Each structure stands twice: as structure tokens, then as C-alpha cells.
Amino acid sequence: MTAFIQSYLGTGFGWFVAHLIYILVIALPLLLAVAMIIYTDRKIWAAMALRRGPNVVGPLGLLQSFADGLKVFLQETIIPSAANKGLFLLAPVITFTVALMAWAVIPFDAGLVLADINVGLLYILAISSLGVYGVIIAGWASNSKYPFFSAMRASAQMISYEVSIGFVLISVVLWSGSFNLSTIIETQKGYYGLLNGHGFNLLLFPMSIVFLISTMAETARTPFDLTEAESELVAGYQTEYSSMSFALFWLGEYANVLLMCTLNAILFWGGYLPPVDWAPLYYVPGILWLFAKIFFFFFIFSWVKATVPRYRYDQLMRLGWKIFLPVSLTFVFLVSGFLMLTRYGGGA
């Protein structure tokens, strides 16, 4: 497609237009998916509580998220008089934009990726780390003690669990021998001659559990949503926000949740590969396998939110620093030691 457009618009401008189209092909369905998973989230919570959930706006309530979006779009944007107006408005934009940037390196199928770079995993780790800035800026620019306290909690929580996530990713990279996400997926074929996915590897399965729980903490999902504990901090770092600026925080949060569900599927459960290494299953498009796995992990996120009570802050930090950090570091040694003894013949 790029070559076709370049033949009409020239090399430079044609490349720009082609990649702009690629970005829109990813971003627009992603925004639609975010709207629909908010609806799905509410339906799952309702089912867990024996309620009906959204059911009025549109067939089966499918248009509820769009009605909510229209509502916040028409509301007035209120900026506190003592706030830093520039940073106050910049914070939700950072949160939302960073949440979309990481999707540039996600392989939806074999060869179906916007930027198939060799350091894709490092890129995602770097981009996801930038989300902290949106939270900190929002809390500081609001010029209110409750959002500021929440922003400090949120930044400490996100940084704490990023350490564990980093060591988990090291284990995956050691086993796969690459930072490229497509290569990581391809190296997950044929465990025990039958199964696709690092999660079936006895050494990496514990890391998949640590990664799943850490991604819940990284995205501030229940039971780790101390950043917006209403009983303690009113409504968290976004307390002073309203209208579309508030909506951008929610869209960014759900886009991050989708990203973390995708990473769980890609890093440990085969990504676009079928769960079983059986030839007829490969006739199903890989993107459908990926979407099925994303939905499965999103269901786990919603299930946990509907059933597990919130942690105390000291429990949250203890889990990250005293349990997940030592466990993930131990498995880095175990994986590297196992590979030295088997794959590399015990050489130095």
C-alpha cells in the first residue's frame, strides 16, 4: 500500500500519507473498542451482582457509552481558579496520547504491525512509564491537596510495580532471545509438541501470574485502585476535572487496560497463534485468536474488580516490593541458569 500511494504522491509525502492511514486504521477501531469495553465492563459487573447493567440506550444498551461520551462533551469544562491552567489541561492529553502510542508496535497478526522494530518491548516499557507524568501533572496542577496526595500514591504505585514488570520482561526476553514482539510470539510455538505459549513453560508460568497481577496494579484496577479511593481521597488525582478533560483520563485508563491485556496475550499466551499447535487451527486468522485472548484477560480484569475488595496501601506496596520483586528476580536467575545449562551448553 505504501508503494502504491508513493507512486501517486511522491516518496516523502506518499510515505507520510500511507503511515497516517495506518495510524488511523489502528487508532479509530481502538477508540471504538474502548467505548465497547466500558459497556462490557459494566455488563460483567452487573452480571456478578445479579443486575441488568446498561439496557436502555440502543439495542441491549450498546449505545450507552456513546451517550455518556456525548454527555461529557456537552458539559462545561471547569478549571479551578488557582490551578496551573496550561498543565491542568495538558495532563489528560498526556495520559490519553501515551495510551495510544504504545499500540504502534503491537503485532495483530504475522506481518500485521505498524512498526516492527527490534526493540518493541523496550519501546512499550518506555511509553507505559510516561503515563506517570500525566498523573503527577494532574495532581500538582490542580492546586488541591487531595489530588496531590493521590498523584503521589499513584506515581509510587506505578513505579513500584514497573520494577517487577521489568524483571518479568527480562525472563521473557532471555527465553525468546529478542526484544521484537513478533519474534517473541513466534518463539512460543510447540511447547511439548502441542501447545503455543510461554505460559505453558513451567519456568515462565509463575512469571505470567506475576505479570497479570502487576498489570492490574500498573493500571490502578481493583483491588489496587488506591489512586481513586473515594473514602480516602474524594476521587483521586482527577477530582478537579470535568467534561472532556475527565473523559480523556477514563479513555486513557481503558486504553491502558486493553494494552496490558494484549501484552499478557502476546508475552505469555502466544499472541496471534492458536492455543494448540494444530494445523487446522491456523486457518483461523491470527487477529481473531489475539482478540479472543484479549477479551479473556479483560474478563479476568473485570471479574477481579467485581469480586475482590480493595487493598490497603501498605498491603499494596508490600506485595510489590517484598513478594513480587524477589520472586521475579529469582526467576530471572532460574531462567538464565536453565538456558546456560541447556541452550548454551554451560558455556561462560
Side-chain angles (χ1 to χ4, degrees), residues 75-92 137-138 140-144 238-246:
Q75 287 176 342
E76 178 185 2
T77 300
I78 299 172
I79 303 176
S81 58
N84 185 317
K85 292 180 175 59
L87 293 178
F88 186 85
L89 294 174
L90 181 63
I137 291 173
W140 185 84
S142 296
N143 197 27
S144 173
Q238 71 272 48
T239 298
E240 304 293 344
Y241 283 86
S242 61
S243 185
M244 279 304 295
S245 56
F246 178 78

Side-chain angles (χ1 to χ4, degrees), residues 11-22:
T11 303
F13 187 63
W15 180 92
F16 172 78
V17 171
H19 281 74
L20 180 61
I21 293 173
Y22 294 150

Side-chain angles (χ1 to χ4, degrees), residues 106-112 185-186 189 196 262 265-266 269-275 280-294:
I106 296 295
F108 296 95
D109 202 345
L112 188 59
I185 291 175
E186 293 298 327
K189 286 185 178 180
N196 291 332
T262 305
I266 287 176
W269 301 102
Y272 54 74
L273 299 175
L281 294 180
Y282 286 93
Y283 289 107
V284 178
I287 193 170
L288 297 182
W289 287 118
L290 180 61
F291 286 169
K293 294 172 185 178
I294 292 172

Side-chain angles (χ1 to χ4, degrees), residues 128-203:
S128 62
S129 300
L130 292 177
V132 178
Y133 289 101
V135 173
I136 293 176
I137 291 173
W140 185 84
S142 296
N143 197 27
S144 173
K145 61 176 180 251
Y146 291 113
F148 183 71
F149 290 157
S150 175
M152 292 300 99
R153 281 187 172 189
S155 58
Q157 174 178 330
M158 295 169 76
I159 292 169
S160 298
Y161 281 86
E162 278 175 3
V163 176
S164 299
I165 288 175
F167 284 119
V168 170
L169 297 184
I170 289 175
S171 299
V172 174
V173 168
L174 286 172
W175 195 278
S176 302
S178 175
F179 285 98
N180 182 279
L181 292 177
S182 298
T183 303
I184 289 174
I185 291 175
E186 293 298 327
T187 57
Q188 298 181 50
K189 286 185 178 180
Y191 274 98
Y192 314 112
L194 180 64
L195 303 169
N196 291 332
H198 284 329
F200 298 109
N201 183 327
L202 297 180
L203 271 177

